[in-house]
Amino acid sequence: MNKLKFNHLLALVSTMTLAAGSQAVYAQGAEEPEEIVITGFRASLQNSIAAKQDSSSIVEAVYAEDIGKLPDTSIAETLARLPGLAGARTDGRTSGISLRGFNENYVGTTMNGRELLGIGDNRGVEFDLYPSEIVAGAMVYKTPDASLVTQGLGGVIDFKTLRPLDKDRIISFSANYEQNDLESANPDYDDKGHRLSFTYSDKFVDDKLGVALTVATLETPSQEQQYRAWGFATVDSVTGKDWQPRNENGTVKNQEQVDNPDRATRIIGGQDSYVRSSLTERDTFAGVVQFQPTDELGFTFDALYVDFSESKVFRGFEEGMFGSWTGGQADETITTVKDGIAVAGTSSGYKSVIRNDAESKDGKLTTFGLNAKWQVTDTWALTGDIATGKTEKDLINLESYSGVGRANSAGQGAGASRSYVLNSKGAMFTSLGTQPNYADPNLIRLAGPQAWGGAIGPLFKDDAHPDGRNDQQDGFVNNPTFDEELTTLRLQANGEVEFSIINAVEVGVNYSDRTKSKDNYGAFLTSPAFFAENPVAGAPYSGGDEAVPGQFVVGTADLSFIGLGQMLAYDSLALYKSGYYYSTESGKYQSDRKGDTYEVNEKVATLYGLAKFETGILTGNVGLQVVSTDQSASGYDSYNGPGGLVIANPVEDGDKYVQLLPSLNMNFQITEEQVIRFAASKTQSRARMDYLKPGNTIGFDFDTGRRQSDNPTRSAWSSATGNSQLKPTEAIQFDLSYEYYFADDGLLSASYFFKDLQNWHVSRASVDNFDSYYIEGYHNVNLPEVLNDDNTVKIPANTLISKRGPVTSWEEAGAGYVQGTELQASVPFHIFHDVLDGAGVTYSVAFLDGQIDYSGGTLQIPGMSRVSRQLTAYYEKHGFEFRISGRERSKFRSEERGLSLSLVDSTDLGAELWDAQIGYDFSETGVPGLEGLNVRLQVQNLTDEDTSTADTADSRLITKYQHFGRNYLLGVTYKF
């Protein structure tokens, strides 16, 4: 299917926009039309435009077209269609949201005005955690006012839930059948799912008591084909060996490379590609009780419980191919070089690692809130609000290695022989000659084909390996757990006053107590066959391997999408949970485990005042927040002591500070339909949780090929730490907006904003002493002399290592800016002719620019695409509903999981995504029993868009390519 392109539609939208303006002027003198009641998407659009027009700030709004049904199948997808917002896909589904160039970690998120929790690693909310069935609408504040106590550099997103006293009786049931057109490549996972929801809302006791309940459950599948490069080595295009023209001290190591610098070639060092299948399950219970005993007094109680689980399998091959990445195992040849990149080559002899990896994530979220409002007089009201929330997340990420036999064993089988060609999707491989049958359960052995167990090698000593073995690692498990709690209390008073141009004021205080903890557990896994009795006397380890137990074999996985064929598939998570593996806790031998175990607590008190003013055509508000913060964190200083065991010393740190955040919003109503808005404010985003951990991870790595004892920046010592005294990143921002409301469902707007960023958190390296961690004898290195190519001594024997080395920490050292222009048009076709009533388009585009200046260089803003576009074309008439929506964003700075599930920077190349929906509402048929029925068919990712990330230095080098397929949903909703 040919992809729809935004530039093909720009001319059409521009023409309709100009026509809309002229037609609206003409319509002002026409006879008033008969009032027509509209429903569905058009009603949602009209309500959203009305909310935008009535707001005193620069906002975007979205309203559910009916209870339990937003214009999209998730909150995240709905938000991603709003001007100035952009969605980020995780496993093929929109989860993260960027607002005005800042990702979700820099966006304030609330529900009914209360700060919202997620189950992620940091502050950012995974928006697809919250089902659309519980949301009645959302308001996106691009400019803050003083009453928004939860703030963010990008803005604030506030979700609104159902209020039963504001609605007539509702009984609604919805069901969806879901299927992915990318057939599951894993035999134990399906490509089908479902979604069910029930909503009940009614009023009692003469409309003084309202009760609403929503129950929603889903099982949704996801499939993926992924190519992933280990990275890219620099090699000699003639020899294929590593590019090393000079030694570290500058002396010549390879004269031929010095004389021929054009032979330096970047090449894929290795790859680990796989097919992924997953199943997401989510059960949600949301309840609201409203009690309005008198006209002056009202209470609202909210409760929400979300039980979220996700299971995945990742099955594929992991292979080193070129340079030092192969460990000297492979025979390598470069066949084609283009502009400094080896685009084709061959590699043979590497012992492929057959990966049967798995992941399970279990999360729970519980929130309760009670709001009381007392209308003290006709003009003054008091409001009190208390809420508490809690989230838990348990993540198991399992690596299971198998192949043609244990590394370095006499019985290990032959390695792989492959050719490859780079392409826009990464690479395509072709087998050369006779290959091992990786799908044969009799050939594949449960053992690591590569010797990756050096970290715990000293634990596995025998007569043949007195210094320890490195062939005992057959897998690894990451099992971090997260817990977070948030309690808030808010008191406010608002009323009318008469003081100059000020006509109303609001004052209040908000207190929040938030705690987030992480326990980063991990373990090395070893097959029991490694410990089998060895017939050689005195050797306790056989280093053996064995076939996968038959009860865990599930069939084969298909890697044909990348030319790698079939491989054996087994249930590694069930194998692990059965107790099969011998586990060695990595935290005892890797200092970064305890260094990444922490608890952060924040107590924040916010006192605010807001004054609303009006004079002539000018309205608006001015306000000030006084924010007092008491933050603290606990963790561990961890380092390797004698015998390699980690020593972990508890540490605590924190800070107290006060900030002033002023805000101003001004609206000039130049005509009844046109308004110019100006805003100025100071806003902030608090530091990421993983930046606030106080633990200092101390490393000692004496590598004779890299380290120099006389150079502290190249010392064997190193350390990485957080900073529990980090203050929030701040922005002084200005906004200017023009909005033209030429019809109830018609809008043209243009806005410009500028944000001056201060206190940006950057990672800074310095040199410090490690005297307190130095242990005599243990940190003395006694090595034979190692010579450079010119026979000069590189590392003398009996070297006493320097006690100085680099320390990396987070500091408030960056400054920068983000600026942008946003254009928006909502054009209903009824302004052209009555026959076109029911049809229309909405279109928006945002152009952003920005950067962080630091230490003579620049950094990208996390989540900022320089261009993002959204377009929706719709038609609703006589019960028939059709909608097609597209969104596009250019490349942006993102994050992905690295070693030990750590978050590492990456570049997402962006995407253009199209979704479509067609349906029929039977309410207009007059057929008894069908008045409440609505049926619809939705297609997500209509054009089968892929996602790619690239090397940050050269976008031609694809580091990750993901293909997800289209997703189909057939749904029915019935309202009684």
Side-chain angles (χ1 to χ4, degrees), residues 303-316:
L304 174 65
Y305 175 76
V306 180
D307 189 342
F308 178 93
S309 66
E310 187 173 44
S311 60
K312 305 177 185 178
V313 290
F314 311 79
R315 295 188 173 113

Side-chain angles (χ1 to χ4, degrees), residues 158-178:
D158 182 43
F159 297 117
K160 301 296 184 183
T161 58
L162 174 64
R163 290 296 180 249
L165 290 183
D166 299 336
K167 298 285 185 179
D168 294 331
R169 183 184 184 188
I170 299 168
I171 302 177
S172 175
F173 174 79
S174 180
N176 285 273
Y177 171 79
E178 182 176 0

